[in-house]
Amino acid sequence: MNTTRSEGDASLLEVQHVRKVYSSGGTEFEAIRDLDFRVSDGEFLCIVGPSGAGKTTLLRCIGGLLDVTSGSVSLAGARVTSPPEGMAIVFQEYGRSLFPWLTVRQNVELPLREKKVPATRRAELVSDALEAVGLAHVPDSYPWQLSGGMQQRVAIARAVAYQPRILLMDEPFAAVDAQTRAELEDLVFSLWKSLQVTVVFVTHDIDEAIYLGQRVLVLSNSPTSVLEDVPIPLPKARDQLRTRSLPEFNELRQKIHRLVQTAKRTMIT
Amino acid sequence: MTLPLAQRGSTRLRAGSARRRVAIRGLTGTLLFVLILEAVPRLGLVNPAYLPPFSEIMVALGAQAATPAFWTLLGQTVFGWFTGLIIALVAGIALGMFIGSLKWVREATHSTIEFLRPIPSVALIPLAVILFGTDMRSTLLLVVYATFWQVLIQVLSGVQDVDPIARETARSYRFRPLTQLRSLVWPTALPYVMTGVRLGASVALILEITGELVIGSPGIGKQIVLSQTAGQVATMYAFVIVAGMLGVAVNLGTRLLERRVLRWHTSIRRDQEGSP
Ligand SMILES: Nc1ncnc2c1ncn2[C@@H]1O[C@H](COP(=O)(O)OP(=O)(O)OP(=O)(O)O)[C@@H](O)[C@H]1O
Ligand SMILES: [Mg+2]
């Protein structure tokens, strides 16, 4: 472990030769063959890959929700074997990840209670987080009374209020409409800039990955490995129209698109 | 699994005038039934010695209701029913949460539960009499036994129904096991618990009356037999009607309770049905 840490900068998350084989009822399925990458402190990393590439599997391994078959995941130098402190996950299925019997406020507050944050500080964090995601007006609604985009905002607010060092997001906007999606992208991006949190963001939308990430990791088809690690040298200020119409943006889009196509083809042959 | 509940939720929305129509129809039906009950013995279609006219039954009921003894009996029945229900609920919920939460306990107890559950409670009457004689406790044993399984089975399914994503959410935020139980497993199981309460309350009443009838522990059920042997047929029917009304009251009460407790639940089901 010392050798890996001495090599570099402040790398917060290290994924080392992770392999994950699902075995259920005698059959084995190799979802991840060999994933090896690191994420520096404060970085915004996007991961793209074809459907079924094992992106969710990878996030669950990083989050300590799933044991790796071999290799290791370390957060701040400590090996992850169960959900580590200072990590929050935003799931793709936001509706199912919120508790329907709790109000918006209670949903956001519950992890803080569990973290034993004092009541006054808790109230502050909750209202700040709801303010940040633009939901300050509905703290006493129930999640099922809100639209899909608003529900996902609640899930984001819950993660933000938790003040994690690292935020994992699994295709968080896959199920919302384009307009809401753009808004939520800008929301996440501005939260990342203001909170100095490290973000690992999984998506199958190449444009989204380029728009948000400082780096895009392109995964191959299952059994999965890293196909390419693409740096995104775009200016740090983002604007939905201007950023997306930059010539660099277009080049990156074509490059990654080709990579993903290659990934898909390698599966068929 | 919770479909009946969901259906109730959605029907309630468009049910405005339809419900009034149903109520009127129900009332008409009851009236008609009472009229037949009155007419059949009077016309001599049935021997009034077996089935007195409805009005006579009502007179007998009125006479009973005027005596303090009647209310004592009613109290005994309700007390036995309620005590049995509460014991079964507490035991069923506690054991259900425990067994359901631990996979190996669940697997270890599965066959035992499947063996004990189908034993009809009334088959335990001889045992109950040996243990407690004709005491109230004999009947209580039957009530608790029958009701317990209703509750336990529901709680077990409820605990199993925890959404995997919700569970992973709880784990990722490092909820302690007790917090997971309280803030995730329990609310998930609550609709099932309420179904258990509803079914259990009815079963408990049936067993309470049965126990009183067969064992002779004090209450409405015992009085049905006593009036019968004394040849007071109208009074016997009066007590039967009281037992029936208790059943209706129990049903209404538990439904109201369920609706109140699960407001969020019916709503979320309705919501999910509405979205693609
Ligand atoms: N619990 C499991 N048991 C067995 N196989 C599984 C399990 N979970 C996932 N898999 C398999 O592992 C592979 C990767 O699944 P995963 O959900 O990680 O893909 P993904 O990249 O997130 O896909 P998508 O983009 O569609 O969400 C799939 O082929 C899937 O069938
Ligand atoms: Mg996925």
Side-chain angles (χ1 to χ4, degrees), chain B residues 52-178:
Chain B
F54 188 72
S55 52
E56 278 177 37
I57 299 175
M58 281 296 132
V59 170
L61 183 58
Q64 283 297 323
T67 65
F70 170 83
W71 297 103
T72 312
L73 289 168
L74 189 64
Q76 281 164 330
T77 298
V78 171
F79 179 72
W81 163 78
F82 192 69
T83 312
L85 179 61
I86 293 297
I87 294 175
L89 274 177
V90 170
I93 290 170
L95 270 170
M97 296 283 280
F98 172 70
I99 295 173
S101 301
L102 297 170
K103 192 161 177 252
W104 67 272
V105 182
R106 202 165 63 229
E107 285 164 358
T109 51
H110 180 76
S111 47
T112 314
I113 291 176
E114 286 312 305
F115 170 71
L116 290 176
R117 187 166 68 103
I119 297 178
S121 213
V122 286
L124 299 181
I125 288 178
L127 173 71
V129 172
I130 292 172
L131 286 175
F132 304 117
T134 60
D135 196 67
M136 171 225 173
R137 282 174 297 171
S138 285
T139 302
L140 192 60
L141 179 71
L142 305 189
V143 174
V144 170
Y145 189 86
T147 313
F148 171 74
W149 297 114
Q150 298 283 345
V151 179
L152 182 75
I153 297 303
Q154 289 298 325
V155 174
L156 282 180
S157 341
V159 172
Q160 236 77 296
D161 200 36
V162 172
D163 190 301
I165 300 288
R167 169 147 277 157
E168 291 205 326
T169 303
R171 279 184 61 206
S172 72
Y173 284 114
R174 298 159 59 90
F175 286 9
R176 285 176 288 267
L178 211 63

Side-chain angles (χ1 to χ4, degrees), chain A residues 162-189:
Chain A
Y162 192 64
Q163 298 186 295
R165 275 193 82 177
I166 183 163
L167 180 58
L168 310 181
M169 305 183 92
D170 187 7
E171 304 197 27
F173 312 140
V176 297
D177 63 277
Q179 180 59 39
T180 311
R181 184 175 193 137
E183 282 169 21
L184 290 175
E185 282 168 6
D186 288 335
L187 169 67
V188 165
F189 193 80

Side-chain angles (χ1 to χ4, degrees), chain A residues 60 83 96 101 114 116 144, chain B residues 163 168 174 176 179 183 187:
Chain A
R60 293 174 71 217
R96 289 165 56 196
W101 45 84
E114 196 61 6
K116 299 219 158 66
W144 40 267
Chain B
D163 190 301
E168 291 205 326
R174 298 159 59 90
R176 285 176 288 267
T179 313
S183 65

Side-chain angles (χ1 to χ4, degrees), chain A residues 58-263:
Chain A
L58 170 66
L59 273 201
R60 293 174 71 217
C61 288
I62 295 176
L65 296 167
L66 202 61
D67 289 331
V68 297
T69 308
S70 66
S72 72
V73 175
S74 317
L75 183 69
R79 188 149 174 181
V80 173
T81 49
S82 63
E85 242 175 278
M87 178 184 280
I89 306 180
V90 174
F91 293 90
Q92 180 176 349
E93 301 90 342
Y94 46 82
R96 289 165 56 196
S97 133
L98 298 173
F99 295 172
W101 45 84
L102 299 182
T103 62
V104 166
R105 187 206 308 277
Q106 290 167 333
N107 263 291
V108 176
E109 193 182 13
L110 191 56
L112 301 181
R113 274 178 191 277
E114 196 61 6
K115 226 166 82 169
K116 299 219 158 66
V117 177
T120 43
R121 178 80 185 119
R122 222 160 54 208
E124 214 172 272
L125 284 170
V126 171
S127 58
D128 284 356
L130 287 177
E131 184 85 47
V133 301
L135 284 181
H137 57 297
V138 289
D140 298 317
S141 299
Y142 287 91
W144 40 267
Q145 295 171 321
L146 306 178
S147 70
M150 288 163 98
Q151 288 179 23
Q152 189 58 292
R153 274 174 221 259
V154 178
I156 294 172
R158 179 171 61 184
V160 166
Y162 192 64
Q163 298 186 295
R165 275 193 82 177
I166 183 163
L167 180 58
L168 310 181
M169 305 183 92
D170 187 7
E171 304 197 27
F173 312 140
V176 297
D177 63 277
Q179 180 59 39
T180 311
R181 184 175 193 137
E183 282 169 21
L184 290 175
E185 282 168 6
D186 288 335
L187 169 67
V188 165
F189 193 80
S190 67
L191 285 174
W192 168 69
K193 274 200 301 188
S194 60
L195 298 176
Q196 294 158 327
V197 62
T198 307
V199 179
V200 176
F201 189 104
V202 163
T203 175
H204 60 236
D205 184 332
I206 295 165
D207 281 33
E208 186 171 77
I210 302 169
Y211 184 73
L212 289 174
Q214 295 178 302
R215 233 170 96 208
V216 174
L217 215 57
V218 183
L219 301 187
S220 75
N221 227 304
S222 161
T224 311
S225 55
V226 178
L227 209 63
E228 194 152 324
D229 191 337
V230 187
I232 306 294
L234 292 175
K236 212 172 177 183
R238 293 293 199 269
D239 176 271
Q240 286 287 355
L241 281 179
R242 219 167 323 123
T243 308
R244 285 177 196 265
S245 53
L246 290 173
E248 300 96 297
F249 192 95
N250 212 13
E251 274 165 36
L252 286 164
R253 175 196 286 144
Q254 284 176 18
K255 177 177 178 179
I256 295 175
H257 193 77
R258 267 197 301 276
L259 283 168
V260 172
Q261 288 308 314
T262 322

